[in-house]
Amino acid sequence: MATLSTPTVTLGATSNGKRDVTVAGKMTFDASDVGRTYRLEISLYGEDLAGDKLPSGDGGADDLISNFMWVSGGLLLRPYKAVTVLAAGNVNYSEKRAIETSKLDEDAGKEIVGWADIHTPVYMPRSDEVYAQVTLGSASISKRSATVQAGIGV
């Protein structure tokens, strides 16, 4: 039976309004999986935590940021990667995508963090939290990564 390790998310460099996001982990297959083809799907979400000072209009549910896409037969894109099991054991995966920083800014806007004086508020961008949901299809297994904080703003 196929299993997934808990995936990791790494936020990389920002360039031209995009930030590199890498999702990595391990798939483990046993002898009964040999010859089967699975669908590896990766989605990024912005997590809304209980203590977040959410912008108005944010309903509080985790926001879908992006579904990773793969090339299929030339120019077509599909939201999964086909993984055919050739032998029992571990298979590592690491997928990197350049995601628009505006999409990663899941808690948009600024919040008041203090006062310079009684008339001058000090603003900081809201903190953003991102996690990956990885699904290995046909066996319907899914694992969520830990949440990583993008710092102050994106």
Side-chain angles (χ1 to χ4, degrees):
M1 181 171 151
T3 60
L4 289 170
S5 68
T6 301
T8 60
V9 177
T10 305
L11 301 174
T14 301
S15 176
N16 297 322
K18 294 187 176 188
R19 187 164 189 178
D20 287 339
V21 177
T22 303
V23 177
K26 178 176 62 176
M27 301 174 283
T28 303
F29 302 105
D30 63 24
S32 68
D33 296 312
V34 175
R36 287 181 154 177
T37 299
Y38 289 91
R39 294 165 54 134
L40 177 67
E41 300 174 16
I42 300 174
S43 298
L44 286 180
Y45 288 88
E47 184 171 34
D48 288 332
L49 300 172
D52 282 353
K53 295 178 181 164
L54 300 175
S56 62
D58 189 329
D62 292 353
D63 308 309
L64 176 63
I65 292 172
S66 177
N67 289 315
F68 281 29
M69 302 295 280
W70 285 267
V71 175
S72 169
L75 300 175
L76 299 176
L77 292 176
R78 62 182 177 197
Y80 66 91
K81 177 180 183 177
V83 177
T84 301
V85 181
L86 302 176
N90 297 327
V91 177
N92 294 319
Y93 64 90
S94 180
E95 297 290 339
K96 180 167 75 172
R97 301 292 187 275
I99 308 293
E100 292 178 29
T101 55
S102 61
K103 286 185 176 182
L104 290 170
D105 189 10
E106 55 96 23
D107 288 333
K110 299 175 183 175
E111 63 180 311
I112 297 174
V113 295
W115 294 86
D117 60 45
I118 61 169
H119 300 291
T120 311
V122 176
Y123 292 97
M124 294 292 282
R126 290 184 174 95
S127 181
D128 300 302
E129 304 84 23
V130 178
Y131 67 89
Q133 182 74 36
V134 177
T135 303
L136 194 57
S138 97
S140 297
I141 347 175
S142 186
K143 276 280 187 172
R144 177 188 154 161
S145 72
T147 300
V148 294
Q149 194 162 6
I152 298 171
V154 180

